[in-house]
Amino acid sequence: PGEESDLIAARLSRATGFARGTVSVEEAQWAARRLMERLASDRPLVIVFEDIHWAEQSLLDLIDHVASVSARFPLLLVCLARPELFEAHPGWPAAAAPAATSLDLEPLSQRDASVLFAGLAEGAELTGEERGRVLAAAEGNPFFLEQMVAMRTELGAAADAIPPTIQAVLTSRIDRLPEAERAVLEAAAIEGRTFHRGA
């Protein structure tokens, strides 16, 4: 119904700061849940929340709320987090979300890392020894592997040394960015994890 749509939009606009006014936590949860349910009533819906180890308690509560109340909808909530989430919130997800499943991702096996590496490094001119060093340094971490291959591709033969950590790889790649892009990253680093519209 159009009236409910207007109410959902108004509450979400206030909750996210796009409109003036306040909204209670319960009203914001209702609006977010109803939006997801309405989208899922048309066709199955997957919602992905990344890095929820940094999430405020209100977001974790929203995920719990949707998982426990919206079970009859074809809705899948995928939450990506580091293990520290469960150290800080040992009871999460709440027992009210009985369908919740936790999957621990281990480092890639040597075989899987080699397959990923082959796809990432396609066309790159790397010797067998260089490939072996990159795979060994990545230790099965797909993000590290991706960044190392990107760095090697950017620098070509000049990338003679493999940085020992992902921080070193990222620092090296950031140092080579154009000045305008580095300025954006510097501002983001000062702003922190929460970005304000004015910044």
Side-chain angles (χ1 to χ4, degrees):
E3 187 176 324
E4 185 184 58
S5 297
D6 292 343
L7 192 54
I8 290 170
R11 288 182 178 177
L12 288 178
S13 294
R14 289 186 192 128
T16 55
F18 285 100
R20 292 183 181 198
T22 59
V23 62
S24 72
V25 172
E26 293 79 16
E27 290 172 327
Q29 282 186 349
W30 173 85
R33 176 179 56 82
R34 283 302 295 143
L35 175 63
M36 291 181 210
E37 289 173 349
R38 289 181 69 177
L39 291 170
S41 65
D42 290 336
R43 60 178 167 257
L45 178 66
V46 178
I47 303 283
V48 179
F49 297 91
E50 291 194 48
D51 296 329
I52 63 167
H53 46 275
W54 289 331
E56 297 289 334
Q57 185 63 48
S58 58
L59 177 58
L60 298 178
D61 291 344
L62 170 64
I63 295 168
D64 270 340
H65 174 69
V66 172
S68 60
V69 175
S70 304
R72 65 186 177 90
F73 290 88
L75 176 61
L76 175 65
L77 304 176
V78 178
C79 302
L80 306 176
R82 295 184 188 146
E84 49 262 36
L85 168 71
F86 303 106
E87 294 166 12
H89 305 278
W92 197 86
T101 302
S102 177
L103 300 172
D104 292 330
L105 298 181
E106 301 295 329
L108 295 176
S109 68
Q110 189 66 25
R111 180 183 172 282
D112 290 340
S114 296
V115 169
L116 176 61
F117 182 83
L120 293 171
E122 191 174 350
E125 296 180 19
L126 297 171
T127 66
E129 180 186 345
E130 287 174 316
R131 289 175 187 265
R133 286 195 341 246
V134 168
L135 283 167
E139 297 180 338
N141 182 321
F143 178 66
F144 195 7
L145 186 58
E146 178 184 43
Q147 293 301 314
M148 291 175 74
V149 170
M151 180 180 162
R152 180 60 174 81
T153 302
E154 289 169 4
L155 293 179
D160 53 355
I162 296 172
T165 64
I166 188 62
Q167 288 84 4
V169 171
L170 294 175
T171 299
S172 175
R173 294 194 68 205
I174 289 169
D175 287 345
R176 288 188 315 282
L177 287 173
E179 188 175 334
E181 291 179 23
R182 275 198 325 272
V184 170
L185 286 179
E186 287 170 8
I190 293 167
E191 184 68 5
R193 294 177 184 150
T194 302
F195 283 72
H196 299 90
R197 290 168 61 100

